[in-house]
């Protein structure tokens, strides 16, 4: 009898080809891709989603947004809005609404607008959220309890070119999470008010935009981070996904620095011990295109947790119902401080999505071809 770590893959994982791209639009992306698409009503699983992490390091506050079209009505948007406040406090809102134009999603209290494609965005919110915490989100569904008002108004200005994860893979990814998946790092400037206080926002923003057919059933789990280092204008994105059988499904590494975009596929990243951003100390090891190794270390500054319910719904907090045998993917979204080997500090979003049945799992599943693979 073998355990999960001793299993040999029965599928060939989709590993990105090793190469280097040049230029300020290395993937040749059309600017209008930043705008909303016409919904595909004839496809039950078609979706369009965005997320934004805003983190202001000196103030130690930020917010996390996740929006997408409602599966049953693709002209309506849902939004998860989390205010990340000091000492692990989180204000949690879930709202619904219809967008007034193609420049970004709206739900009434939340507006996301692209003001200059590939360059600038504006995020505004004026609403309320249940008073919760990082630890509470890791235990239960949150968002309908006693609420406190909060608001923000923040403008983003791009630091680096847009990254196209699908183009980096080099071929279609058989993972049921869409046909377009783009990410970008920016500077964030503005303000946020909550709990009787107002903070200036002066930090970084990470954004993600995807569309296509989605179904969470194929996922067993994943680790995924995108981060930027403002001083050097360096960006990094990695993702590793696996099947419910713990067999590797896809892996890609992207590093932008000095006008070059490096694509490879071999890395090792800290997994999840339990929901709630744990462990808080994380490490990323990457095999570069020249065969050298880069090691960066990180620490979780704040965290919110959500649940992916099949086929394509998202809940605030952890939802597990043993009476239904539900083993839905629990996703931690962490604001992380990353330190590059030269000492430069960057910030990013770190998503760890795991089915509870496979936890704890600090070592993520890797293909046998990986430098970091061990039985």
């Amino acid at each position: 009898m073998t355990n999960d770590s001793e299993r040999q893959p029965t599928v060939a994982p989709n590993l990105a080809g090793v190469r280097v791209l040049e230029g300020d639009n290395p993937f040749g992306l059309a600017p209008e891709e930043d705008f909303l698409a016409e919904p595909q009503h004839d496809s039950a699983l078609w979706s369009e989603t965005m997320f934004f992490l805003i983190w202001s390091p000196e103030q130690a506050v930020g917010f996390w947004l996740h929006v997408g079209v409602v599966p049953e009505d693709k002209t309506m948007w849902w939004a998860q809005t989390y205010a990340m406040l000091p000492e692990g406090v989180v204000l949690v809102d879930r709202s619904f609404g219809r967008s007034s134009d193609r420049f970004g999603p709206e739900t009434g209290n939340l507006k996301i607008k692209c003001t200059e494609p590939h360059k600038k965005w504006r995020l505004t919110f004026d609403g309320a959220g249940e008073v919760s915490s990082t630890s509470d989100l890791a235990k239960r569904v949150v968002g309908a309890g006693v609420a406190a008002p909060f608001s923000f108004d923040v403008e983003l200005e791009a630091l680096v070119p847009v990254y196209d994860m699908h183009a980096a893979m080099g071929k279609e990814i058989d993972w049921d999470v869409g046909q377009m998946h783009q990410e970008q790092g920016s500077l964030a400037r503005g303000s946020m008010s909550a709990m009787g206080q107002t903070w200036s926002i002066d930090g970084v923003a990470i954004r993600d935009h995807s569309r296509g057919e989605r179904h969470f059933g194929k996922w067993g789990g994943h680790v995924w981070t995108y981060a930027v280092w403002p001083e050097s204008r360096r960006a990094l994105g990695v993702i590793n996904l696996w099947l419910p059988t713990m067999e590797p499904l896809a892996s890609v590494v992207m590093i932008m620095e000095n006008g070059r975009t490096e694509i490879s596929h071999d890395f090792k990243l800290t997994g999840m011990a339990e929901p709630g951003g744990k462990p808080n100390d994380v490490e990323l090891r990457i095999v570069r295109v020249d065969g050298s190794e880069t090691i960066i270390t990180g620490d979780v500054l704040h965290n919110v947790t959500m649940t992916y319910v099949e086929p394509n719904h998202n809940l605030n907090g952890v939802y597990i119902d043993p009476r239904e045998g539900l083993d839905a993917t629990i996703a931690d979204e962490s604001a992380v401080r990353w330190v590059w080997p030269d000492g430069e500090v960057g910030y990013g979003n770190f998503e760890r999505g795991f089915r509870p049945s496979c936890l704890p799992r600090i070592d993520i599943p890797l293909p046998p071809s990986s430098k970091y693979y061990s039985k």
Side-chain angles (χ1 to χ4, degrees), residues 16 38 44 66 98 231 237-238 270 301 330 336 368:
E38 286 294 322
H66 190 207
R98 302 184 194 278
E231 183 177 343
V238 301
T270 306
L301 304 175
I330 307 301
V336 174

Side-chain angles (χ1 to χ4, degrees), residues 346-360:
Y347 298 89
N349 185 77
F350 179 21
E351 178 174 289
R352 287 178 273 191
F354 286 77
R355 295 180 186 270
S357 61
C358 76
L359 291 177

Side-chain angles (χ1 to χ4, degrees), residues 265-374:
H265 61 252
D266 196 7
F267 73 93
K268 181 180 180 181
L269 181 57
T270 306
M272 179 190 286
E274 59 182 279
K278 299 175 182 177
N280 300 125
D281 296 325
V282 295
E283 180 184 76
L284 172 60
R285 293 174 174 260
I286 302 169
V287 178
R288 306 293 295 269
V289 294
D290 62 2
S292 64
E293 182 183 53
T294 293
I295 303 174
I296 64 174
T297 57
D299 55 288
V300 173
L301 304 175
H302 215 306
N303 185 83
V304 298
T305 305
M306 65 187 63
T307 304
Y308 300 156
V309 180
E310 299 169 19
N312 188 14
H313 286 275
N314 298 264
L315 304 179
N316 296 332
V318 168
Y319 176 56
I320 302 174
D321 189 342
R323 296 169 300 176
E324 299 177 2
L326 185 65
D327 194 30
T329 299
I330 307 301
D332 273 347
E333 307 290 349
S334 299
V336 174
R337 177 184 183 271
W338 288 109
V339 181
W340 201 258
D342 63 7
E344 185 183 359
V345 173
Y347 298 89
N349 185 77
F350 179 21
E351 178 174 289
R352 287 178 273 191
F354 286 77
R355 295 180 186 270
S357 61
C358 76
L359 291 177
R361 185 169 291 274
I362 305 302
D363 293 324
I364 64 174
L366 297 171
S369 61
S370 170
K371 172 182 177 177
Y372 307 108
Y373 176 81
S374 61

Side-chain angles (χ1 to χ4, degrees), residues 38-46 71 74 213:
E38 286 294 322
Q40 295 184 14
H41 299 287
D42 58 347
S43 173
L45 295 176
W46 186 88
K74 295 178 176 58
E213 292 194 351

Side-chain angles (χ1 to χ4, degrees), residues 11 173-177 214-222 241-249 310-311 329 355:
V11 296
I173 311 169
D174 183 22
W175 59 358
D176 285 353
V177 287
R214 299 167 67 89
H215 193 304
F216 299 132
K218 179 167 285 187
W219 298 20
H222 67 287
L241 298 100
W242 51 89
L243 300 169
T245 57
M246 305 309 294
E247 295 163 311
L249 174 62
E310 299 169 19
T329 299
R355 295 180 186 270

Side-chain angles (χ1 to χ4, degrees), residues 15 21 36 65 67 93 103 111 159 204 233 252 290 328 369:
L15 305 178
L21 308 176
L36 303 183
L65 311 176
V67 299
D93 176 63
F103 302 118
K111 292 184 179 180
L159 267 172
V204 300
R233 292 180 176 262
V252 65
D290 62 2
S369 61

